[in-house]
Amino acid sequence: MPDISTNLAGIKSPNPFWLASAPPTNSGYQVMKAFDAGWGGAVWKTLGVPVVNVSSRYGGLNHKDNRMVGFNNIELISDRPLKDNLREIEEVKKYFPNHAVIASLMVETKEQWHQIVKDVENAGSDGIELNFGCPHGMCERGMGSAVGQEPKVLQTIVEWVKEVSTIPVIVKLTPNISDITEPAQAAHAGGGDAISLINTIQSVIGVDIDQYVPYPIVDGQSTNGGYCGPAVKPIALNMLKNCAQHPGVDIPISGIGGIENWRDAVEFFLLGATNVQVCTAVMHYGFGIIREMIPGLERYMTEKGFETLDDFKGKALGNVKTWEHLNLEYKVKAEIKEDKCIGCQLCYIACEDGAHQAIRLSEDKENRVPEIIDENCVGCNLCSIVCPSEGCIAMVRQDDGQKVTTWNERMNSDDVPTTFNDERAGGIGHFVPEPTDALGMG
Amino acid sequence: MSEFKRPASEEEFEKNFQQQKPLMNETEAYYESSRCLFCYDAPCVKACPTEIDIPLFIRQINSGDISGSASTIYASNYMGNTCGKVCPTEVLCEGSCVYNEQNIKPVEIGRLQNHATRQAIDEGKELFELAESNGKKVAVIGAGPSGVSCACELRSLGYTVDIFETKAKPSGLSVHGVAPYKITNEEALIEMDYLKKQFGYSVRYDSPIKSKEDIQNLASTYEAVFVGIGMGTTSALNIPGEELANCKGATEFIEVLKMNHLDVAIGKSVVVLGGGNTAMDAASESARMGAESVVLAYRRRADEMGAYEFEWKLAKGVGVQGEFNAAPIGIVGNGKVEGVRFRRTENKGGKLVEVEGSEFEIACDMVIKATGQRKQVDFLSLIDGLATDEKGRIEIDAFGRCGDTKFFAGGDAVNGGAEVVNAAAEGKMAAIGIHEYLSS
């Protein structure tokens, strides 16, 4: 059995699955229940000066019958008195000494930071997470993402915390910024022991088209919220990769953003995360999803021969390059497996209207299996993505793999298009129909 | 058998004849509509005789535009709601859904269609644009699916339309003939009411067109006449004993069942003769009315039956037994049916022959003949210039016109007995033909 225990900058937990700081970690009751279900750690709902929340706080984004592919909230940090939270942290640690309890914090002044850091340490927290990410409600008060967007301020506050903290400090970053590596480096420079990302993305989840007001509706009005859930995973993975590859961010990363099963978690590990934090999926399905996550991860590791998480942490990072280093000689073309084709012709219309007119319909009206026009196919993958039949469209390599030429190399040998009508344009020689062909006039 | 108790109340009848395609609720419609792939050049559309843009109406349900969805359906088929319930979708739209290719349950197109149209009907949505009156009048004989479809299309083109109906209620076989587990009478009638209100044609009930004089009156009062009279009574088998009490025609048996559910006197043991869809209905219905045994006897092999396979499965599912290669040679009994005599048949050199000396008898106290309906050739012969083929079906041109006359036709009287959806398509097509004819 592989070992899935983790150590994030000194914070140990029996497995890499933590609950993110959010409603599921609002109370000792919930955290205790989660640990009992199998979660390895929990980042407590952010503590500070207790807030007052509005009623009507969440909004969901559905895609057809898939509910909550995206999720949006306008809830603030904990609205419970600090002393109640501290007592409950202590209680949880008594029952689960080997699980990770991390106190998420958000206050304003240096004095407040010093005080609350000491308080949560005394309660038995294993670590601290600085909430520099919340993009709604708190940022307008100069906290949350307002800090995460100002690397200098961020660094200063991390330094304040490190002045008194004796336990590891994680800095949680906001994605609402052009270059995530800047605050990440500031966190490192300020003495932060780890970073976690991403926090939610500033968002309007949708608009009620009858009442003319976005969701969630608070007495006929709304405000921007923070967006999360499965739909944000690609954004999180990109920011994770950027930080993990950056030499100035030489501290461990806790991955957050749309994780809801073991497979998502593995993707985060492969791009350099030491552990992962989950919120939306638990808000959707409850703590029980951990029953699928742990055995799934263990089976993957067993099949791949990985004994610890470190064996594959960041394993995909070396395969993520900047565009100009990709091999321009690599060619794939689509191949349709007739026995798998259900004849929906979505590949045809997607390629015809949305890509490169490289799929034609059979002249035999009875035959609904489309045909790839090899000479037109640029290998874009679109058909294989829209195809609803598993394994029906394969992208098959055409080149022999012997030759590698990158844009970078071509730049260096002056072999790239430089003028508007350059003969070296990539699309030259590629079939493009005449505009009037669209109207059947060709 | 006796899976079904003879229904003694309307509730028990409804239970025995539970709807096969019940209305969907909002949640079910949302989830089911999410499954549609929005195929290009979708096979389901091609499989629909009225070519409803199915992927579009399903997408409209999914995006919450139910009126738009109903509009899409009615633009192609005025019997949208009825067809959603009674169409043999298993062999039409749903049968051609691409999901079948990977053994995935096809999208429930019929029920989704019903969901959209029923909501439009219940809310009295005004989905139709009627052209200004062009001052021309057309008569329609028969308020069945073909006649009403013809009337709707003509109204939308600006014609004044009067429908003449023999019976007291509209909708033809949808009310009088379709199996009760496919559609309730109420459901069939609400669409008729809705269409009548929306399109504003008139219907004269209990107004049979019977005589040469009636026809001449129509011809002189109206610029064109549509004949949508369906078919007649059950044909005779021409075997001894047909006159015995309890030997019924399927059409007549089903009509009583539909109109006066609880008045049906079902036998303890019933023999149904025939292998078409009407035979399947009659057999299923006998079982559901509480017959203790129902035998469906057919002259040829089971796989040679004209009925859809799913209809035979449905009948078997309620306990109907099959007796194949059995040609009825006489109905026996003393005043009342006591049994049916058969002779075995076999296929000899491609011809079905009866085997001498193979006679046998099945005891029963009721016989239902589902061996075809008469064409109304006597009536049709009263229309000058209208021709029928050797099977008694009205001959029409590509525009639904009967020879060189002002008469047009569609539905069962033309196609010899098909689905509601075919009648709807033909009635509408004839209206377009009438418009062409009167515009030229």
Side-chain angles (χ1 to χ4, degrees):
Chain A
M1 187 65 85
D3 176 10
I4 60 167
S5 66
T6 47
N7 182 342
L8 181 95
I11 308 170
K12 291 177 183 164
S13 61
N15 65 57
F17 300 109
W18 290 6
L19 294 171
S21 172
T25 57
N26 189 50
S27 65
Y29 168 82
Q30 288 163 289
V31 173
M32 200 88 103
K33 206 173 158 190
F35 287 171
D36 190 43
W39 291 84
V43 186
W44 212 271
K45 171 101 177 163
T46 304
L47 306 174
V49 176
V51 298
V52 178
N53 272 306
V54 291
S55 180
S56 177
R57 305 174 191 180
Y58 308 140
L61 175 73
N62 303 337
H63 180 254
K64 291 196 172 180
D65 55 348
N66 286 316
R67 302 191 80 82
M68 256 169 89
V69 295
F71 186 67
N72 170 84
N73 85 88
I74 61 168
E75 194 173 284
L76 306 179
I77 64 171
S78 180
D79 58 4
R80 305 176 61 221
L82 183 62
K83 64 174 172 39
D84 294 347
N85 284 299
L86 295 175
R87 181 180 56 78
E88 291 174 16
I89 289 173
E90 216 175 318
E91 184 91 353
V92 170
K93 280 306 293 183
K94 222 186 288 170
Y95 283 88
F96 292 94
N98 299 320
H99 285 59
V101 173
I102 289 86
S104 171
L105 306 178
M106 186 198 288
V107 289
E108 284 185 88
T109 65
K110 186 174 178 175
E111 290 66 36
Q112 283 176 323
W113 279 108
H114 281 176
Q115 182 59 50
I116 201 164
V117 166
K118 286 177 200 154
D119 286 346
V120 298
E121 275 198 36
N122 289 336
S125 301
D126 299 292
I128 290 165
E129 186 180 79
L130 310 183
N131 182 343
F132 296 154
C134 179
H136 50 88
M138 304 309 292
C139 50
E140 293 91 330
R141 305 177 196 178
M143 294 183 278
S145 63
V147 175
Q149 288 165 338
E150 294 293 341
K152 281 185 190 149
V153 179
L154 180 147
Q155 184 174 335
T156 304
I157 298 179
V158 175
E159 285 164 1
W160 292 348
V161 170
K162 288 298 289 184
E163 281 167 14
V164 295
S165 171
T166 64
I167 52 177
V169 174
I170 308 164
V171 182
K172 186 168 181 178
L173 302 181
T174 177
N176 299 292
I177 188 162
S178 336
D179 182 357
I180 191 74
T181 62
E182 287 183 19
Q185 290 176 81
H188 190 187
D193 300 288
I195 53 173
S196 56
L197 58 93
I198 58 175
N199 204 313
T200 56
I201 303 165
Q202 206 168 54
S203 61
V204 169
I205 194 78
V207 181
D208 183 315
I209 62 169
D210 298 312
Q211 297 186 66
Y212 317 114
V213 52
Y215 301 107
I217 300 170
V218 181
D219 193 18
Q221 296 176 322
S222 191
T223 186
N224 60 272
Y227 187 49
C228 55
V232 310
K233 192 181 86 175
I235 297 166
L237 288 174
N238 182 54
M239 292 190 165
L240 167 65
K241 174 267 294 179
N242 288 346
C243 289
Q245 285 186 330
H246 200 286
V249 190
D250 195 18
I251 47 177
I253 306 172
S254 182
I256 312 169
I259 297 155
E260 68 169 33
N261 58 34
W262 68 269
R263 188 178 286 273
D264 297 326
V266 167
E267 292 179 46
F268 275 77
F269 298 144
L270 290 171
L271 286 178
T274 298
N275 74 352
V276 290
Q277 300 185 27
V278 177
C279 165
T280 312
V282 164
M283 292 185 73
H284 195 165
Y285 304 109
F287 298 127
I289 57 170
I290 193 67
R291 298 198 308 270
E292 171 268 335
M293 301 177 95
I294 290 175
L297 174 63
E298 286 172 342
R299 227 179 321 275
Y300 171 79
M301 289 172 67
T302 304
E303 279 169 18
K304 297 286 180 189
F306 300 136
E307 285 168 9
T308 69
L309 293 169
D310 282 339
D311 289 354
F312 65 107
K313 185 175 115 179
K315 202 171 169 61
L317 280 173
N319 294 328
V320 191
K321 297 272 175 26
T322 48
W323 192 92
E324 69 263 25
H325 291 105
L326 298 178
N327 183 8
L328 294 169
E329 306 293 341
Y330 178 72
K331 300 281 180 227
V332 291
K333 286 192 192 300
E335 256 181 41
I336 299 174
K337 296 200 173 58
E338 279 195 35
D339 62 321
K340 294 273 178 69
C341 177
I342 60 175
C344 68
Q345 299 184 350
L346 286 177
C347 59
Y348 162 75
I349 201 63
C351 185
E352 174 67 18
D353 289 1
H356 298 88
Q357 300 83 46
I359 302 183
R360 70 164 82 88
L361 300 177
S362 169
E363 278 175 20
D364 171 10
K365 291 263 179 229
E366 296 300 302
N367 179 11
R368 288 191 54 89
V369 183
E371 296 161 8
I372 305 295
I373 307 168
D374 276 347
E375 55 274 29
N376 292 5
C377 178
V378 301
C380 74
N381 294 345
L382 179 62
C383 55
S384 70
I385 294 167
V386 300
C387 178
S389 181
E390 289 292 323
C392 174
I393 301 185
M395 302 306 296
V396 181
R397 186 163 192 172
Q398 307 291 309
D399 66 307
D400 60 8
Q402 297 299 306
K403 206 172 159 203
V404 177
T405 316
T406 67
W407 175 261
N408 205 38
E409 286 165 1
R410 285 183 60 172
M411 283 274 283
N412 292 337
S413 54
D414 284 331
D415 185 24
V416 295
T418 49
T419 60
F420 289 139
N421 296 307
D422 202 302
E423 291 293 314
R424 291 165 295 191
I428 283 194
H430 185 265
F431 171 77
V432 176
E434 285 301 312
T436 47
D437 290 353
L439 308 177
M441 295 161 70
Chain B
M1 186 146 59
S2 63
E3 182 183 337
F4 296 95
K5 241 180 56 198
R6 183 179 157 74
S9 65
E10 203 55 38
E11 289 73 39
E12 287 177 11
F13 180 85
E14 274 172 29
K15 211 176 131 212
N16 286 10
F17 288 87
Q18 203 172 25
Q19 292 296 294
Q20 280 178 331
K21 295 181 183 172
L23 265 178
M24 285 180 167
N25 60 38
E26 293 293 327
T27 306
E28 193 177 9
Y30 181 62
Y31 277 73
E32 191 62 14
S33 62
S34 292
R35 298 180 62 229
C36 176
L37 294 170
F38 203 72
C39 292
Y40 178 78
D41 192 24
C44 53
V45 180
K46 293 182 184 169
C48 173
T50 59
E51 293 180 355
I52 296 173
D53 191 340
I54 294 163
L56 177 60
F57 93 67
I58 294 178
R59 200 172 168 82
Q60 288 171 312
I61 291 174
N62 197 253
S63 70
D65 183 8
I66 302 290
S67 294
S69 180
S71 230
T72 301
I73 295 161
Y74 278 122
S76 295
N77 182 347
Y78 291 115
M79 299 294 122
N81 192 58
T82 302
C83 285
K85 298 222 72 155
V86 310
C87 261
T89 53
E90 294 85 343
V91 296
L92 296 176
C93 52
E94 292 173 23
S96 65
C97 177
V98 297
Y99 275 132
N100 292 301
E101 300 289 326
Q102 285 289 329
N103 299 322
I104 301 166
K105 190 173 83 75
V107 175
E108 289 195 60
I109 299 167
R111 292 182 65 212
L112 284 168
Q113 181 169 317
N114 197 210
H115 176 77
T117 48
R118 180 61 192 263
Q119 202 161 316
I121 291 170
D122 286 349
E123 293 173 9
K125 290 277 183 204
E126 293 181 3
L127 306 174
F128 308 98
E129 262 181 58
L130 306 190
E132 253 179 64
S133 171
N134 59 18
K136 293 176 183 165
K137 287 166 67 179
V138 179
V140 169
I141 310 176
S146 71
V148 170
S149 296
C150 182
C152 291
E153 183 70 11
L154 286 169
R155 287 291 299 144
S156 75
L157 294 166
Y159 293 86
T160 299
V161 181
D162 296 325
I163 305 182
F164 297 85
E165 168 58 46
T166 304
K167 294 187 167 144
K169 283 186 188 339
S171 119
L173 286 181
S174 301
V175 159
H176 297 95
V178 176
Y181 41 82
K182 291 182 183 159
I183 190 168
T184 62
N185 289 355
E186 183 205 357
E187 183 97 27
L189 290 171
I190 54 165
E191 184 164 54
M192 290 292 159
D193 286 347
Y194 170 70
L195 293 173
K196 188 163 173 289
K197 257 185 216 131
Q198 295 297 317
F199 286 96
Y201 48 78
S202 84
V203 189
R204 300 183 195 168
Y205 297 109
D206 301 309
S207 306
I209 302 296
K210 288 185 293 203
S211 62
K212 183 115 190 161
E213 197 189 343
D214 291 343
I215 290 166
Q216 278 164 351
N217 280 341
L218 288 187
S220 58
T221 316
Y222 296 92
E223 268 97 343
V225 180
F226 175 79
V227 183
I229 57 173
M231 294 199 289
T233 50
T234 304
S235 318
L237 280 169
N238 298 319
I239 56 173
E242 275 187 85
E243 73 294 341
L244 289 171
N246 271 13
C247 175
K248 314 260 187 199
T251 318
E252 294 72 24
F253 164 74
I254 293 171
E255 182 165 348
V256 178
L257 175 87
K258 291 278 288 185
M259 305 316 287
N260 307 296
H261 307 153
L262 306 175
D263 290 355
V264 174
I266 196 75
K268 267 189 179 174
S269 48
V270 178
V271 170
V272 177
L273 302 174
N277 288 321
T278 306
M280 302 304 138
D281 282 353
S284 258
E285 287 160 353
S286 299
R288 288 167 202 262
M289 285 305 289
E292 285 170 19
S293 85
V294 179
V295 175
L296 181 129
Y298 179 56
R299 290 160 50 87
R300 297 168 187 271
R301 291 197 315 265
D303 61 350
E304 291 176 292
M305 289 198 292
Y308 296 123
E309 203 184 328
F310 72 85
E311 295 280 19
W312 172 226
K313 273 193 191 147
L314 189 70
K316 279 195 290 191
V318 292
V320 174
Q321 288 168 353
E323 185 69 53
F324 299 101
N325 286 103
I329 52 171
I331 296 163
V332 294
N334 192 0
K336 270 169 53 185
V337 168
E338 287 168 15
V340 183
R341 284 191 67 72
F342 294 94
R343 195 175 285 137
R344 284 283 168 216
T345 64
E346 61 181 24
N347 196 312
K348 266 210 172 136
K351 251 190 103 178
L352 193 73
V353 295
E354 293 179 6
V355 181
E356 286 300 324
S358 67
E359 290 79 6
F360 65 100
E361 189 176 319
I362 297 176
C364 65
D365 55 9
M366 183 170 186
V367 173
I368 300 175
K369 297 180 292 179
T371 43
Q373 286 166 261
R374 288 189 187 86
K375 309 299 184 298
Q376 308 198 51
V377 280
D378 293 344
F379 169 76
L380 293 172
S381 68
L382 301 175
I383 302 172
D384 292 333
L386 179 146
T388 53
D389 68 7
E390 73 288 352
K391 289 182 171 167
R393 299 176 297 198
I394 305 174
E395 290 185 343
I396 56 170
D397 67 13
F399 299 99
R401 190 172 172 201
C402 310
D404 201 15
T405 69
K406 61 161 64 172
F407 287 80
F408 290 72
D412 283 354
V414 170
N415 61 37
E419 304 296 336
V420 172
V421 65
N422 301 101
E426 291 166 20
K428 183 175 173 179
M429 184 54 74
I432 295 164
I434 290 170
H435 183 54
E436 291 280 317
Y437 163 70
L438 295 178
S439 306
S440 60

